[in-house]
Amino acid sequence: QVQLVQSGGEVKKPGASVKVSCKASGYTFTRHGITWVRQAPGQGLEWMGWITTYNGYTNYPQKLQGRVTMTTDTSTSTTYMELRSLRSDDTAVYYCARVFSGSFGQFDFWGQGTPVTVSS
Amino acid sequence: DIQMTQSPSSLSASVGDRVTITCRASQSISNYLNWYQQKPGKAPNLLIYAASSLQSGVPSRFSGSGSETDFTLTISSLQPEDFATYYCQQSYSTPYTFGQGTKLEIK
C-alpha cells in the first residue's frame, strides 16, 4: 500500500533552517511527483511547490522563491523540503503528498504531517 | 494567481441531510478542480478529482460537479464521520491554490 512517512517535529529559532523528509513506499517512486503543503495553526492549506521525482524539476510559488528547496533521492525514495530564514509565521504543520501522474495532478496520498515551530 | 472562494465558510447540518458546498474560481480552470476532506489533527484526504471523478475508496454519497469557474461538492446523506473541513483546490496552473475551507458541524 502507498505510504508517505515524514520525519519528526522540529523547533527552530528565527533565521534558522529546517529540512523535512518524506519517505515513499508501496509504488514506483519515479512515476509520480511529490508536493508540499503547509497549514498554520487554525488556518487553511497553502501549497509550497512540487518536484518531479524522475528528474528533480521543481516549481515553487513566488512567495517562497529563494527560501525553499525541494530535492529527491531516488535510491531511498525520499524527498526533502528545506525552508531557510525561518520566521514565526512559518510555524505550521508541513505535509508531503503524492502528485498523481495523470492529467489532473491531484494529491492522492499524504504523509502524516511534520509540525515545525519557529520561536525564539 | 487564481483565487478560490468557498461558500459557506461553515455549515451546521444533521445526520441524513443533503449538503452542498460551493467553490468559485477567479478565472476559468476547466475541470481542474479537486476536493479534500480534513479531520482535526489529520492530513487531508482526496475525495474528488477532475471536478467529478470519485477517488477510489471514497463513499458514493460524495459527488462533485461543475466546470470553468463554478463547482459544487455534494454529500447526499450525511454520516457522522463526514463532519470535517472541506477544501477545494485548483490544479489548472501554478501556484496551485486552495479555497479557505468549509467547516461542516453537527447541528
Side-chain angles (χ1 to χ4, degrees), chain B residues 10-50:
Chain B
S10 62
L11 175 60
S12 293
S14 302
V15 172
D17 283 354
R18 180 183 180 88
V19 166
T20 296
I21 297 169
T22 297
C23 179
R24 175 163 288 176
S26 61
Q27 66 184 74
S28 175
I29 59 171
S30 184
N31 62 336
Y32 286 77
L33 191 283
N34 310 306
W35 289 98
Y36 300 87
Q37 176 194 67
Q38 186 179 33
K39 297 181 179 179
K42 300 294 187 182
N45 180 50
L46 177 67
L47 299 175
I48 301 286
Y49 65 95

Side-chain angles (χ1 to χ4, degrees), chain A residues 28-91:
Chain A
T28 301
F29 180 66
T30 52
R31 290 188 68 178
H32 303 278
I34 293 289
T35 193
W36 290 83
V37 173
R38 68 180 178 179
Q39 186 170 38
Q43 303 301 307
L45 303 171
E46 180 185 7
W47 181 72
M48 298 183 67
W50 59 269
I51 183 167
T52 57
T53 50
Y54 69 93
N55 65 359
Y57 171 82
T58 54
N59 186 311
Y60 307 130
Q62 188 168 9
K63 174 183 178 180
L64 294 176
Q65 283 276 1
R67 285 211 300 141
V68 68
T69 301
M70 295 175 189
T71 56
T72 190
D73 181 348
T74 56
S75 69
T76 60
S77 300
T78 302
T79 301
Y80 300 90
M81 185 285 299
E82 181 180 32
L83 188 61
R84 299 176 293 279
S85 302
L86 289 168
R87 308 186 291 246
S88 58
D89 62 356
D90 292 317
T91 294

Side-chain angles (χ1 to χ4, degrees), chain B residues 27-82:
Chain B
Q27 66 184 74
S28 175
I29 59 171
S30 184
N31 62 336
Y32 286 77
L33 191 283
N34 310 306
W35 289 98
Y36 300 87
Q37 176 194 67
Q38 186 179 33
K39 297 181 179 179
K42 300 294 187 182
N45 180 50
L46 177 67
L47 299 175
I48 301 286
Y49 65 95
S52 60
S53 296
L54 191 67
Q55 174 68 2
S56 175
V58 174
S60 59
R61 63 181 179 273
F62 291 92
S63 64
S65 65
S67 65
E68 307 298 336
T69 60
D70 294 301
F71 302 87
T72 58
L73 172 70
T74 299
I75 310 172
S76 61
S77 178
L78 272 174
Q79 298 302 301
E81 60 269 28
D82 299 337

